[in-house]
Amino acid sequence: MAIKDLLVHLDETPASATRLQAALALAAACGAQASALYLVAEPFLPGMGGRHLPAELLREHLAHAEAEVETLLKAARSEADRQGVTLEIIRESGPLD
């Protein structure tokens, strides 16, 4: 059975770059496509009894997070192009609860 598609989770941790490199190397070796998944999580404050933040603050948080994610995803796409691997970007946002 040949590997055709790989899914790699990206985030802002140092391990993310290692996961991306491993996925791209495996995809290149197998002639597979890679998909990078990044989750932009809405803030959740368990100390507030599970209530969410006000809508305006939530929109500001998500806008800031999306801007930071864009830099990371551009770097991932650039690295995939350098290695000759097709990289699909999957960006999702939503609550953690």
Side-chain angles (χ1 to χ4, degrees):
M1 170 175 25
I3 295 174
K4 297 178 185 175
D5 298 295
L6 292 164
L7 177 64
V8 60
H9 169 248
L10 299 182
D11 55 27
E12 59 281 335
T13 65
S16 182
T18 303
R19 287 192 304 270
L20 177 64
Q21 288 299 324
L24 294 177
L26 184 57
C30 297
Q33 171 183 305
S35 297
L37 172 64
Y38 193 103
L39 172 64
V40 177
E42 294 176 2
F44 179 74
L45 303 174
M48 291 180 58
R51 290 181 299 208
H52 289 277
L53 296 174
E56 178 64 24
L57 189 55
L58 180 58
R59 280 191 297 275
E60 288 178 22
H61 167 80
L62 290 176
H64 180 70
E66 287 287 343
E68 289 182 349
V69 168
E70 197 57 40
T71 301
L72 186 139
L73 295 178
K74 282 182 183 177
R77 174 140 351 257
S78 178
E79 182 60 22
D81 289 346
R82 189 182 73 72
Q83 293 193 32
V85 175
T86 300
L87 181 67
E88 175 188 10
I89 301 293
I90 305 167
R91 181 182 355 202
E92 295 290 333
S93 63
L96 291 176
D97 59 341

